[in-house]
Amino acid sequence: MSGGLYERVLAAAGGDLPPARPPRPSASVALWRRRDGELEVYWIRRGRTLQFMGGWHAFPGGALERDDVERTLTGVAHHPRPGTVTAPSPEVTDPADADLAAGIVACALRELEEEVGVRLEAYRLTFAGRWLTPAFGALRFDNRFFLAEWRPEDGEPRPLPPESEDGGWIRPAAALAEVDAGRAIAAPPVAHVLRVLAEEGPEGSPRRLLDTSEANLGPLRRIEFRAGVLVFPLAAATLPPATHTNTYLVGGGEAILVDPGSPFAGENERLLAALEAAERRLGRRVREIWLTHHHPDHIGGVATLRRELGVPVAAHPATAERLAPLGIPIDRRLVDGERLRLAGEPEIELIVHHTPGHARGHLAFEIDRGEPSAARDLIGGDLVAAAGTIVIDPPEGDMDDYLATLERLAARPWRTLLPAHGAPVIDVAGKLAEYIAHRLEREGQVLAAWQAGLRSPA
């Protein structure tokens, strides 16, 4: 694609799938108890400043550390002696991986103590499934979940900052209701564990917990952080540290597909299979394709998806202008303030916001479910990224426009910002303030250099 530096760098990235980053082993523990005959689990709200899943609800857990294996094998503290730990996952079966298995158990016990102050023995853990973090960004985990029945002598769990800000006992069904209502955000494996425990309890659930296929839509994971908003991270020719672009399916019946950005045939085949499963199982049917802007990592699959789904494509007039020379027609122009109501459960109204800066025709899409709360979710495209910053590449990019866009959005009480690259941002006000401060600091550095007599980029 011709254009500025941004497009040239993306074009130079080539047509190969980005290299896969090895996920880091990790472990989490779902504590449970029965109180007055009711099953309860202990979950926490992770610290908002944490780089990974900051502000999300989860079970206590974290990444494997170098000394976890050593601590287990030397019998330190309350961990058992060597050879007494059963491999925590069906996949860890090679004798050479026995140390890893023991280390994962030690990791689970250590994280439980560090995050909520509870000490357990390894034999009390029940393996409850293995999940890989979706390819949102650089941080990915190969996480093993465990169940453990809490006893009063273990010590009352309590959130310990900075890893956890809040926590408490809650019925699994009530926790799911919090997630469904948007008052909490949880990753798919956490929701899966809650759902299985709510329906079957901890005693009869191990087999279903180990089978994660029910959490899929065809070949892709069903990732629905907010009701009526599915996200599919697809490998794309994008800029590091990102390797994937998030494609969103918005709607509880009629649905809009946002930014099918992968140019890779295999990725688009998997997306089409997932969309077919979403229509068959959830009743969500794509009505239109909407684009946030024209960059290659946001439009790579548009031609394929338009052809296979037989639906029109909508975008800002400036985006239509940039895509016309590429033979990508835009069937309908989206304008600032436009509203589209999507029938279904939940019923959703999408509100178009023109958000120039990264690109002249950049759009963001506000999600209105008719809730009494003023805070809403925003599909932000390349307004911000979960990690790193956004390229502002003149003449298509404009720093004055970008700062004005960020400041305008910062005046609204957003609940969640759903970016094109990375996981959902919970602390939207903090992220927007961080971006504004960063850009103004850089502008100040440029001005200081000019005032010092420097007159060339070099």
Side-chain angles (χ1 to χ4, degrees):
M1 175 180 287
S2 62
L5 175 64
Y6 189 89
E7 287 95 337
R8 294 198 300 274
V9 170
L10 289 180
D16 297 328
L17 282 166
R21 294 188 177 97
R24 185 176 177 185
S26 59
S28 299
V29 181
L31 287 175
W32 64 271
R33 71 179 184 184
R34 293 198 184 276
R35 186 166 179 264
D36 299 328
E38 290 279 354
L39 176 66
E40 295 180 327
V41 295
Y42 193 87
W43 72 347
I44 61 172
R45 187 176 72 228
R46 292 170 52 80
R48 288 177 180 266
T49 60
L50 296 178
Q51 186 178 5
F52 184 75
M53 292 172 56
W56 296 30
H57 280 73
F59 303 122
L64 182 74
E65 292 185 355
R66 183 172 299 175
D67 64 347
D68 283 327
V69 173
E70 297 172 1
R71 291 198 309 148
T72 301
L73 296 180
T74 56
V76 172
H78 51 284
H79 303 312
R81 67 182 184 276
T84 63
V85 179
T86 302
S89 165
E91 292 86 352
V92 181
T93 54
D94 190 315
D97 291 335
D99 290 356
L100 172 62
I104 289 170
V105 171
C107 171
L109 298 174
R110 174 182 53 76
E111 289 287 344
L112 189 64
E113 185 172 350
E114 290 178 354
E115 293 195 358
V116 298
V118 170
R119 293 169 63 94
L120 295 180
E121 298 83 7
Y123 73 87
R124 292 173 56 190
L125 297 178
T126 300
F127 179 63
R130 182 180 184 181
W131 297 70
L132 289 175
T133 306
F136 286 123
L139 283 177
R140 298 188 68 200
F141 293 92
D142 180 357
N143 196 58
R144 276 79 162 185
F145 283 82
F146 298 90
L147 302 182
E149 182 178 10
W150 176 81
R151 302 169 185 169
E153 58 266 28
D154 299 329
E156 185 65 33
R158 64 198 187 281
L160 298 175
E163 295 292 331
S164 54
E165 291 183 351
D166 194 10
W169 292 103
I170 188 171
R171 291 181 296 108
L176 285 171
E178 290 291 298
V179 173
D180 290 342
R183 292 186 292 270
I185 188 168
V190 174
H192 176 71
V193 171
L194 290 171
R195 186 169 294 106
V196 174
L197 292 179
E199 295 174 4
E200 299 189 13
E203 297 88 356
S205 60
R207 183 177 298 275
R208 185 175 167 198
L209 285 171
L210 297 180
D211 180 8
T212 63
S213 61
E214 71 176 73
N216 293 343
L217 285 172
L220 297 178
R221 180 76 68 217
R222 177 179 176 176
I223 307 173
E224 190 166 6
F225 296 116
R226 295 301 191 202
V229 184
L230 292 168
V231 55
F232 304 107
L234 301 177
T238 188
L239 294 180
T243 58
H244 290 61
T245 297
N246 294 332
T247 295
Y248 291 95
L249 182 68
V250 187
E254 290 184 312
I256 298 297
L257 188 68
V258 178
D259 283 359
S262 178
F264 305 116
E267 291 290 271
N268 287 313
E269 289 170 4
R270 296 198 308 145
L271 175 60
L272 286 165
L275 295 175
E276 189 277 330
E279 181 172 0
R280 173 171 38 83
R281 288 176 44 194
L282 309 177
R284 303 185 190 183
R285 179 181 59 82
V286 178
R287 168 177 169 170
E288 280 186 317
I289 296 171
W290 284 15
L291 304 179
T292 60
H293 61 297
H294 71 278
H295 284 149
D297 53 332
H298 293 255
I299 56 92
V302 168
T304 298
L305 272 294
R306 177 212 296 276
R307 181 182 67 250
E308 296 297 326
L309 298 175
V311 297
V313 178
H316 188 272
T319 298
E321 177 186 328
R322 292 301 306 271
L323 294 180
L326 301 177
I328 301 177
I330 299 301
D331 304 288
R332 192 166 71 83
R333 271 57 172 173
L334 297 172
V335 297
D336 187 60
E338 180 176 340
R339 293 172 176 260
L340 177 67
R341 187 168 295 278
L342 300 168
E345 181 57 45
E347 184 178 71
I348 286 176
E349 186 172 49
L350 281 179
I351 305 169
V352 177
H353 292 272
H354 184 212
T355 51
H358 179 63
R360 291 184 299 117
H362 194 284
L363 298 175
F365 307 123
E366 178 180 349
I367 300 170
D368 180 4
R369 298 180 182 82
E371 300 160 320
S373 171
R376 294 174 179 167
D377 303 319
L378 183 72
I379 294 178
D382 277 351
L383 283 172
V384 304
T389 57
I390 296 296
V391 173
I392 307 300
D393 177 29
E396 181 68 34
D398 186 285
M399 187 61 71
D400 286 336
D401 286 347
Y402 185 60
L403 284 170
T405 289
L406 295 180
E407 289 166 355
R408 175 162 51 87
L409 293 174
R412 292 280 304 276
W414 302 103
R415 179 171 61 180
T416 311
L417 195 151
L418 303 164
H421 307 290
V425 175
I426 302 298
D427 184 10
V428 183
K431 176 64 76 172
L432 293 175
E434 171 195 330
Y435 264 53
I436 292 169
H438 169 74
R439 294 298 179 175
L440 292 178
E441 179 184 16
R442 286 292 179 85
E443 293 291 287
Q445 291 170 341
V446 172
L447 177 60
W450 181 270
Q451 291 171 336
L454 302 177
R455 292 294 185 267
S456 71

